[in-house]
Amino acid sequence: CSSSGSAESDKLIMATNAEFPPFESKSGDGFVGIDIDIMNAVAKKLGKELVVEDMEFDSIIPAITSGKADVGAAGITVTDERKEEVNFSDPYANAIQVIIVREDSTNNGDLTGLKVGVQQGTTGDTFVDWGNFGEVASLERYSKGFEAVQALAQGKIDAVVIDNEPAKVFVEENEGLKILESGSISEEYALALSKNNDALLADINKAIQELKDSGELQQIIDKYIAE
Ligand code: GLN
């Protein structure tokens, strides 16, 4: 039994959190989304079989550093803190943090004194914690972004800070919410890999570049994100 992540392995184990549409979500017995399609295309180029492992978002980097998974693909934002633990591939998408509030809110992006929900361990969590959106009254951490948005719709919290594309999906799925673009912070998504797997990183960066050059990457994004 060869260990995952070895160069000889015929499997490419992807750690994700399938609670982040349109990048990854569950569909029947399987998974759909931009990251799933990108990783299937990457695995094909590498001649490997993609295996998707679904877990909590804040378990993904530990799964990579411990060698349980080969690649973290979950709309993961490149940050200096995470770079201390993992290597990142070249970026494949851009994102911003947005604020979701109820439709009747007059908030202009300053969350001072409000109860704010985030998905645990995300950049939204970090930025709210750092006070980037003001001194919040409380920071409520949910294991799923969708749960934070539901709590907002139910009036339990006042705002949610989350990535822009999942925000659009969650606002469509819940009545009476709107997205504020103000105060947004620009981010890049990349794949997370072990610091001890430079060969796989090089292969994956080559595959991403080929997907960019052929237009396939943009086709995958356009399939899930209507402009
Ligand atoms: N982009 C955000 C982050 O990296 C959120 C990712 C996610 O929830 N899947 O923290």
Side-chain angles (χ1 to χ4, degrees):
C1 176
S2 66
S3 73
S4 70
S6 78
E8 303 81 41
S9 171
D10 54 0
K11 289 192 166 68
L12 187 64
I13 302 178
M14 160 180 167
T16 197
N17 172 241
E19 301 289 345
F20 197 69
F23 287 89
E24 44 268 326
S25 53
K26 294 186 193 83
S27 170
D29 294 338
F31 303 98
V32 293
I34 294 168
D35 288 332
I36 308 291
D37 286 9
I38 290 174
M39 286 307 302
N40 267 312
V42 167
K44 199 174 162 194
K45 284 185 185 292
L46 270 53
K48 290 174 188 272
E49 180 202 343
L50 186 71
V51 177
V52 180
E53 299 274 4
D54 190 23
M55 59 189 74
E56 300 284 305
F57 182 74
D58 57 5
S59 298
I60 296 172
I61 288 182
I64 298 302
T65 55
S66 67
K68 284 192 199 127
D70 302 311
V71 187
I76 303 173
T77 301
V78 178
T79 69
D80 289 341
E81 293 73 26
R82 290 172 181 167
K83 273 187 194 166
E84 287 176 13
E85 298 184 80
V86 291
N87 279 340
F88 280 105
S89 72
D90 295 331
Y92 63 89
N94 295 306
I96 48 172
Q97 295 297 307
V98 296
I99 298 166
I100 308 175
V101 290
R102 284 183 297 278
E103 240 157 31
D104 58 6
S105 167
T106 56
N107 189 278
N108 59 4
D110 180 0
L111 303 183
T112 298
L114 300 184
K115 279 187 178 172
V116 180
V118 295
Q119 185 182 8
Q120 166 121 1
T122 62
T123 45
D125 182 351
T126 305
F127 294 143
V128 174
D129 201 26
W130 284 350
N132 291 24
F133 296 92
E135 270 312 308
V136 302
S138 71
L139 173 51
E140 309 287 336
R141 296 184 166 104
Y142 298 83
S143 69
K144 302 173 185 178
F146 185 71
E147 287 173 357
V149 176
Q150 275 182 319
L152 172 65
Q154 292 162 1
K156 291 178 184 160
I157 56 175
D158 305 307
V160 170
V161 174
I162 192 165
D163 301 45
N164 54 325
E165 291 299 338
K168 281 189 214 162
V169 176
F170 295 151
V171 164
E172 269 170 34
E173 289 172 352
N174 283 271
E175 292 279 298
L177 302 178
K178 66 179 179 186
I179 294 172
L180 304 179
E181 299 276 341
S182 56
S184 299
I185 297 156
S186 168
E187 309 186 356
E188 285 183 321
Y189 290 168
L191 306 173
L193 284 93
S194 161
K195 285 194 179 280
N196 306 319
N197 210 342
D198 286 348
L200 185 63
L201 181 65
D203 287 350
I204 282 182
N205 277 335
K206 183 167 173 276
I208 290 174
Q209 191 57 50
E210 286 172 11
L211 293 173
K212 285 180 180 170
D213 292 345
S214 68
E216 210 177 325
L217 181 73
Q218 194 57 46
Q219 277 170 20
I220 291 170
I221 291 172
D222 291 346
K223 179 174 151 195
Y224 291 95
I225 300 177
E227 284 308 324

